[in-house]
Amino acid sequence: MPYLSPALNVMIAAARKAARPLTRDFGELENLQVSHKGPADFVSSADERTERILFEELTRARPGYGFFGEEGGMREGPDKSHRFIIDPIDGTTNFLHGVPHFAISIALEREGQLQSAVVYNPITDEMYVAERSHGAYLNDKRLRVSTRKNLPESLIATGIPFMGRGTDEERERSLAEVKAVVSRTSGIRRFGSAALDCAYVAAGRFDAFWERGLNAWDIAGGILLVREAGGVVSNLNGTSDPFSNGDLLAANEALHPQLMKLLENPFS
Ligand code: 2AM
Ligand code: CA
């Protein structure tokens, strides 16, 4: 059984509460795909409502903590040593298209350190949780990163900049990275939710995940999951703080340096 701190219990309850209407909305999206207006407005209101429920539940249980959410930005509280970092729907494009691969991500930071994490896919009912120094779990099962040591047998997840994202140079670089990795591994997966990509690395499903240009709310929960499952997380300069520039490489200990080297110069 996972060790559930009081804060983690609060985070799990908030995620489950926010997930109920979100799951209903997802069921209705099928009809909206063919409606005149299309589902985009519907999705942004689902996003906003999910963040509002999380805000209400978390601040009721922990008044005073800061709250940093994708929709509402930073809301300071009197307690400067704690803040929640929230992504109400990570994988919004999947949600919009009726693909059941998205998650609510909640992280709790204490004195600038990730303390507790929840990544919840409401459609598959997969609840990933982690508590600093107490391990990572999927539902009740302890998670370990994979033990694969060699790139040729490894399955690697990534995110690729799409329409309107990044400069021409950044897009070129990203495609070069994909080419370099795909030709040396068992393959690449691009599933569209950075939070779940990290959760899958923690679960040993993916051997590694890298992406550039992410925001703190996309990855805060996922970073703690990977670390507590025994994995290594850094940005792509090799420093350990992925929040510093939004670049992230998460992998097991053996593959992390190999991928870092490959991604350092993808054109070679
Ligand atoms: P989202 O679904 O919450 O937007 C996929 O490559 C990852 O990038 C997802 O975690 C996704 O989170 C995030 N993402 C999607 N669009 C983005 C944008 N315009 N800017 C930054 N991150 C984005
Ligand atoms: Ca996100």
Side-chain angles (χ1 to χ4, degrees):
M1 283 296 285
Y3 166 75
L4 299 180
S5 68
L8 196 49
N9 267 317
V10 164
M11 290 156 65
I12 291 169
R16 287 203 188 279
K17 182 154 187 185
R20 282 194 286 273
L22 191 59
T23 306
R24 279 198 298 276
D25 286 350
F26 185 71
E28 276 177 36
L29 265 173
E30 216 174 341
N31 310 326
L32 283 169
Q33 302 287 357
V34 294
S35 82
H36 202 58
K37 203 170 167 195
D41 291 347
F42 182 79
V43 171
S44 63
S45 67
D47 233 332
E48 282 159 22
R49 194 209 36 230
T50 305
E51 185 159 315
R52 192 178 64 244
I53 296 172
L54 295 173
F55 180 76
E56 285 165 4
E57 292 302 304
L58 294 169
T59 50
R60 192 157 48 109
R62 291 292 182 276
Y65 284 18
F67 188 96
F68 186 41
E70 173 161 23
E71 300 298 315
M74 184 63 205
R75 282 172 266 190
E76 299 276 353
D79 180 340
K80 303 296 177 205
S81 51
H82 292 90
R83 68 168 177 162
F84 291 112
I85 306 173
I86 308 294
D87 196 341
I89 309 178
D90 186 62
T92 324
T93 308
N94 287 338
F95 184 89
L96 175 68
H97 286 259
V99 177
H101 191 81
F102 55 89
I104 293 171
S105 175
I106 309 173
L108 174 63
E109 222 181 37
R110 177 175 299 151
E111 307 291 358
Q113 280 199 328
L114 292 167
Q115 184 65 32
S116 322
V118 165
V119 172
Y120 181 49
N121 178 339
I123 307 304
T124 58
D125 196 26
E126 287 187 312
M127 175 70 76
Y128 296 88
V129 303
E131 181 77 23
R132 188 180 172 78
S133 309
H134 289 279
Y137 290 80
L138 164 53
N139 299 330
D140 289 337
K141 191 169 143 268
R142 179 90 192 241
L143 297 180
R144 293 293 306 168
V145 291
S146 85
T147 53
R148 293 190 188 87
K149 290 187 168 44
N150 303 309
L151 288 174
E153 66 198 24
S154 299
L155 186 62
I156 316 289
T158 190
I160 307 163
F162 48 90
M163 215 172 48
R165 261 184 93 186
T167 60
D168 285 352
E169 201 183 314
E170 283 164 343
R171 278 193 290 271
E172 288 285 310
R173 187 186 172 95
S174 189
L175 292 176
E177 288 175 352
V178 167
K179 200 170 157 196
V181 173
V182 82
S183 58
R184 290 170 176 85
T185 59
S186 284
I188 284 187
R189 297 292 180 269
R190 198 275 188 251
F191 281 4
S193 161
L196 286 174
D197 288 333
C198 289
Y200 279 31
V201 171
R205 295 174 180 173
F206 292 148
D207 300 293
F209 164 60
W210 94 96
E211 185 165 350
R212 294 175 187 272
L214 294 163
N215 293 294
W217 49 75
D218 301 318
I219 50 177
I223 289 170
L224 190 64
L225 287 172
V226 173
R227 288 191 175 142
E228 287 299 321
V232 181
V233 183
S234 72
N235 69 23
L236 287 159
N237 306 328
T239 53
S240 68
D241 180 12
F243 290 172
S244 60
N245 63 356
D247 297 348
L248 181 96
L249 172 61
N252 69 33
E253 235 174 316
L255 292 172
H256 190 275
Q258 298 177 53
L259 282 162
M260 185 68 89
K261 190 154 172 255
L262 192 55
L263 295 169
E264 232 162 49
N265 189 3
F267 297 102
S268 66

